Structures are given as C-alpha cells and as structure tokens.
Amino acid sequence: MNTSSTSSAVPQVFAQELALSDIQFDIPESKIAVLKAKAPNKPIVGQLRAVSALELGLGIRDEGYNIFIMGAPGTGRRTVLSSLLKDYKPNTADLQDIGYVYNYRRPSEPIALFFPAGAGKKFQHTVKHTIDSIYKQAVELEKSESFLSAKKKVLAAVDSEENSLLAEFEVKMLEQGFKLLQIKEDANQSIDLVPIIKGKEMPFGELQALVSRKKFSEKALNSLREVYYASLDELSDLFAMLKRKRAESEEKLKQLYLDLLKPIIAAEFEAPRAIVGTYPAETETQQKNNEKIMAFLKKTESDLIARAVSYAVPFKSPRHKKVFFGRYAINLICENTDDTPYVINENQPNFANLFGTVEGHGDDDDGLINGHLHLRGGAVHRALGGFLVLRLKDLLEEEDSWVYLKRVLQSGQITIQMPPAGTHSPALLKPEPIPARFKVIIIGGEYSYEILYQEDPDFYKLFKVCAEFDSVMPLTDENLAAVLSLIETFVKNRHSLPFSDSGYAKLLAYTVELSESRHLISAQFTKIADFVAEANYTAKAAGSDCITDEVIAKTIERRHYLSALPEEKFAEMVQLKEILIDASGTAVGKVNGLAVEERGFHTFGIPVSVTAQASPGTAGIINIEREAGLSGEIYDKAHLIISSLLRQKYALTFPLSISAAICFEQSYGMIDGDSASCAEFFALLSAIGKIPLRQDIAVTGSLNQLGMVQPVGGISEKITGFFDTCTILGLTGTQGVLIPKQNKNNLFLPERVIKAIAEKQFRIWAVGHIDEGIELLSGLETATVTAAVSAALRDFAEKVKEFRK
C-alpha cells in the first residue's frame, strides 16, 4: 500500500522541554535601589501615545477638535487628564459673563447680554441699585412739597371750573323752571331735574295726577317734559365735558410728575452707562455687545418712565413689588471669578444638569412676564471658556442628553429649554441662544470610540481626537521606576505601612504578571492601588512593620482563595471521579485538552477530555459541539482548519473519505476560541491511525493550515489547572503540559507548580509545529505517524469506493 510520497522526507523533530530558568520570573531585589533613583516625580506613568493625543486636542481650538478618551478603567485616564489640565488658564479675552434680561418687545424671548469676564456681577448690582434708588425717589417725589403744591393748584383749578359750570347750568335750569336734585341710591349718586311750580317742587308724577283731575294743563305738562329731556341731554354733555377735563387734569398731573421724575431717572442711569463705557471695544463683537447693553439700558429707562405711575405709590405687598421690578433684574447664568473652575466634571449628565432648564412658573403670570428670571444654566454654561468632562456611560444612560449635546456642538449654540421628556408643561419661553465656546472631553471604555465612529455618522466631525489608553505598557526600567513611584504615592496617600525592597520587587513582578506578558507591565493602576491596600491589611494583621515579599505572596494567595470556590468544586468532582480525566497511561482517540473558565473577576484552567472517532464514510469531520449549538464562531473556524490540514498533510493524492466526530467530553456550556485545535487534531490523528497517545500530557495551542502551532491565552491558568488535577490523581513524575513556544513569555506560574518542576515532578514542553507535538504524545517519529494516518485514510477511500460499486 502506497502511504505518502512525503512521509520519508519529513525530518524528525523534538518538543523542547523548558528549563526552570525559562519558567521562573522575578524582579531582583537588588534592582529596587536603581529604580528608586530613576523614579520620576510626576503622576503620569507611560501612555505616551495617549498623552500626545491629549496635548493635540487641548492645543487646537478649532471646531470639532473635542477629545474622546478611550481605555479600560483604572489605566490613569482621569489622572493624566487632570495632570494636563490642572494648570489650565483660559485666555481672559475669550471669557465673558453672560446674563439674560427682559425683552420689552417680545417678553417670551429673553435677551442675552455679554459682559467682560468678571464684570457681570458689578453691572447687575449697579442696575439693581439704580432701580432701587429710582423707586425710593419716586415715592418721595409723590410726597414732596413741590409736587403736592403743584398738584393742589391743578386740582383746585379743575374743581373751580367744574363748580362754575355746574352753577351756570343750575341757574339756567331755574330760569326754565327746573331745579337740580341729587339722588342717593345705596352707594351711588345721580343728579335729576325737578319742575318748580309756583315756587314748589312738583315731580312729574304729581303733575300727571293734577292733569287727570283737570287742575293742571296737559299742554303745560308736555311742554315741561320737552324742556326736561332736552336739559337731561345737555346735562349729560356737561358731565362728559367735566370728565374730560378731569382726565386732562390727571394727565397734567402725570406729566407734571414725569417732568420731575425724568431727570432723576436719567441721572440714576448715568452710573450703569458709565460702567459700559469702560468695557473693551477693540473688536466688532465687543462693540456690538456694548451696544446691546446700552440698548437694554435705554429701553429700561423708557419703561420706567412709562410705568412711573404704577410705582409712585407703595405696593400692596413685598411680593407685588418683587414681581413688578423683576423685569429689570439681570439673571447671570455665567460668571467668571478668581476661583471659577474651567474644568467641569459632570457626573450626573441629565438634560437639566447639562444644558440648564426653565424653572416652573409661579401662581401668577410672573412666569411669562419675568421669564428671564426662570432660566437656570447647566454644566455647558459653567464650562464656557474651558472644558466639560463627561463619562460616556453616564451620558448614554440619560435620555436625550447625547442627542442634544451633539446638536449644541454642531450648531455652536446653547439654548436653554425644558427637558424634552417628563412631566413638565411646554415652555412658553424661547431664550436667545448663546455661543457654545467650550471643549468637550468624553471618557469611554475600550472600543467605545470605534463603535461610535461606525454607528454615528456625525461622531467623527465632533470628536476628531481619540486619546487611547492602553492597559499595558512596555517593560522598561523607566516604566518600572514610574510604577514604583506610583506605589510610593499610594502608600503615602493611604497612610499604608512602608514597603521593603523585597516587597517592591515582588509587587512589581506581580504587575508584570497582570499584563500576562514578560515584555509588558500592567497599566491598570486602580488594581495596583487596591493591591497596596490589601497588602497593608495583610501586613498589619500579621503584626509586621513593613510590607515584604512574604506579605505580597500571602496577599496574592488570599486573593486567589477568595475567588476560587468554583475551582475547588471542580477539584472535588475530579477527586470523586465525577469528572473523567486520565493523567497516566495511553489511549487511542483521546487527548487531554485545556480550557479556561471565566468568572469575570477570576479565571482558572481545567483539563477537558477531547475524544475523536473515525471510520470510512463521506460525512466528513463532525464537530459535536457545533451540531449541538454549543460552539462559537472562532471554534467553528478552528474546526474547518483541522479538516483542511488533515487533507493537505495526509490525503493529498486521494479523496478524503471519512466520517469522524470530535467531542469535548462532559462539556455542557458554550465553547469558543481556537486554543483546543491542537488537542482536537491529535485526537483525530490517533483515532484514524489507531495510534495510542500519552494521557499524562495535556495540550493547548491553536493551529493554522500549515500545521504551525500558534499562541493562546490563559496559558498559566491552563498549566496550573492540569497540575492541580494531576496532584489530585497522583503525580507520576512524567506528567506535563505541551504549549506553543511563543507562550514562553506568558508564563507566570504559582510557587507550587515551579517547585514541582524544579523537583522533576512536572514538565512543560514548547512546540512550534504539529509534528513536534505528535512525536511527544505518541513516542513515534513523524514519518511513522504520517505513514500510519495516510495509510488509514487511503484505506478509508478504497473502502468507500468499493462500497459504492
């Protein structure tokens, strides 16, 4: 039987057993003194790319150069940002105080006034003092001797003329036989005419009775009636004229009052006008702002004159006075003082907190009349001239906040309005928009910038700078020194026990372990800070006066213990033989694979029995996990690579005619990833060629179509998981784990595993090609394995062909 023309050409290869020096990792205690001498005196550790991006975004003031900070929590995002912004001083020429005032033409549209930085409060107080002074003088003027004397003269003249006209009319009526008679009915008074007959008052009713008794001429009665009605018309005209004259006198008195009040008002408004005259006017914008303020003062002065009569007398209540003069008040929503923060961190970015709101109206119509006083600014107003810092998670959790923030940045304008949703009634106010001169900095998690970039077409136009914070940084002496300095800062800030040099060395080694690479160091500084707190607790509980390497080791051990309950449950099932794992001997079609169980905050490795069955057929290689709907996309891809590699390496000259199945035994949850593809491939080769494989070696690693073994994640956890299983089942001295050679730099094993390796009770082999692994597991040369598998596959093909005949 012809096996394969390439089998004899394959050279024998060997898996590399790792020496103890390849497995151990530490940072020498002697290096700590050198690192301390290099320690920088700055809060920024690593993240040079992110710092460069932040400096770019902070330095460019052009539109759209808002900043998006992306990275895992605890990587120093806020620390770096705070450090770069702590000394930020805005250009005072760009700062303005902003206040809303009453719009005399359209009261529902309050007007925005712009003042030089720090000048708004003084102007506000000056205008208030001006109004208060005018009111006080207006009330005093009403009671002044000069005004009362003039008023008396006007009223006396009116009364005299009125009396004269009434006297003339009364004489005239007497001549025509009538007398003026005043009639009182309840609280009302009226004037009527009564005929005089022979010197005696005779009402028309009595005269009618005399006519009926033939004692008075009916013709004379009718004549009297004609005179009576004509005289009533004349009397009505007389009273109308007297009313006009009375009104004219009132207007005369009002004008007299205004003539006396106008100079007072004009004089009082000189103070606020003088202040505006001191404002800069070098630019066209500044000139327009000043003109706008002057226009407001002019309209306010005119309105005070027009409404003078209303406040010339005391108000009914303080509330009425407050409402009346509220229209002249200035509502400052943006002020600049010596202690004004220009970096605003808004941790509750709901609509009102971010963009301001229109507060609820009162019981009267004050909400419309003095609507400008109901406007309240938000974080965007406090950030004018500076920076608004938001967390993406908080922003997206608030309805409408993200949408309106984009609208503000796109339009470059801020309009205060009520939140679009909720129980608020629709706002009647439409305040004048103000320029949105501030920069937004959003802090998001990993991949958040990419997601928003893809999902939101407007996103990049608004956030052109992405400062990406990495969770790891290169393992250099400079970065080690910086982390050591950071640890010293944590110790100082938390009043922790001091570290010994051995404690520093052990903790620095642990920060490298957190990065899962011997070439990197973790940049998740929050985790480091938390570990310092736990180590301090451990040291104090043990009565130690400093934190040593032993304290660090105990802290790591306790961390593992607190999270290891599922790990212990798995160990119990192995001990009770509920999990069927062989850690000795050989078997056909079975290999110990390695998997990682994740709890989010804790991961641990477990061995999994990977089995395969093969026979002649045309069904191909069936993945039982995939058929059961328990596999992920990456796992399915790895399975297809296995099929391809099997065809390319062992059945290149004949059809691949096989029905095979691969299964993860006792696995009942979702499986994903490609780290088990080596184990699956070995189990499949064993099943096809009937080749016994060692059960005392567990396998991890992914495959490509060329048969090369690729690195995988969780390597230390996987090795430790198999070691613990072997310990339960009994260490034989031959057991170990086969790993990709690229994973040597990811080894961070616990002391118990390192001790067993040092005592030759456990081993680790590194391979770069599938042939190295099959030789180690089978004890056969590659050529022998290739010949056996190729021969079996050829035999499968011939049997299928024969069966079809």
Side-chain angles (χ1 to χ4, degrees), residues 101 158 174 416 770:
V101 296
V158 172
L174 285 173
I416 297 178
I770 197 70

mmCIF file of all heavy atoms in Angstrom, residues 101 158 174 416 770:
data_model
loop_
_atom_site.group_PDB
_atom_site.id
_atom_site.type_symbol
_atom_site.label_atom_id
_atom_site.label_comp_id
_atom_site.label_asym_id
_atom_site.label_seq_id
_atom_site.Cartn_x
_atom_site.Cartn_y
_atom_site.Cartn_z
ATOM 1 N N VAL A 101 -31.849 89.057 30.192
ATOM 2 C CA VAL A 101 -32.660 90.200 30.614
ATOM 3 C C VAL A 101 -34.005 90.159 29.903
ATOM 4 O O VAL A 101 -34.193 89.426 28.929
ATOM 5 C CB VAL A 101 -31.941 91.538 30.320
ATOM 6 C CG1 VAL A 101 -30.664 91.657 31.127
ATOM 7 C CG2 VAL A 101 -31.660 91.696 28.825
ATOM 8 N N VAL A 158 -59.314 122.778 38.533
ATOM 9 C CA VAL A 158 -60.314 121.874 37.952
ATOM 10 C C VAL A 158 -61.603 121.951 38.761
ATOM 11 O O VAL A 158 -62.709 122.032 38.199
ATOM 12 C CB VAL A 158 -59.779 120.428 37.918
ATOM 13 C CG1 VAL A 158 -60.880 119.456 37.501
ATOM 14 C CG2 VAL A 158 -58.620 120.318 36.953
ATOM 15 N N LEU A 174 -83.078 126.911 36.593
ATOM 16 C CA LEU A 174 -84.063 127.626 37.396
ATOM 17 C C LEU A 174 -84.867 128.575 36.524
ATOM 18 O O LEU A 174 -86.092 128.733 36.710
ATOM 19 C CB LEU A 174 -83.363 128.389 38.517
ATOM 20 C CG LEU A 174 -82.850 127.540 39.690
ATOM 21 C CD1 LEU A 174 -82.021 128.370 40.654
ATOM 22 C CD2 LEU A 174 -84.028 126.881 40.429
ATOM 23 N N ILE A 416 -31.299 77.434 26.270
ATOM 24 C CA ILE A 416 -31.891 76.855 27.480
ATOM 25 C C ILE A 416 -33.348 76.515 27.194
ATOM 26 O O ILE A 416 -34.102 77.339 26.676
ATOM 27 C CB ILE A 416 -31.799 77.838 28.658
ATOM 28 C CG1 ILE A 416 -30.329 78.124 28.992
ATOM 29 C CG2 ILE A 416 -32.507 77.267 29.888
ATOM 30 C CD1 ILE A 416 -30.151 79.119 30.118
ATOM 31 N N ILE A 770 3.043 21.054 14.500
ATOM 32 C CA ILE A 770 2.215 19.934 14.914
ATOM 33 C C ILE A 770 3.008 18.635 14.998
ATOM 34 O O ILE A 770 2.738 17.769 15.831
ATOM 35 C CB ILE A 770 1.008 19.789 13.939
ATOM 36 C CG1 ILE A 770 -0.078 18.932 14.572
ATOM 37 C CG2 ILE A 770 1.457 19.241 12.600
ATOM 38 C CD1 ILE A 770 -0.752 19.619 15.716
#
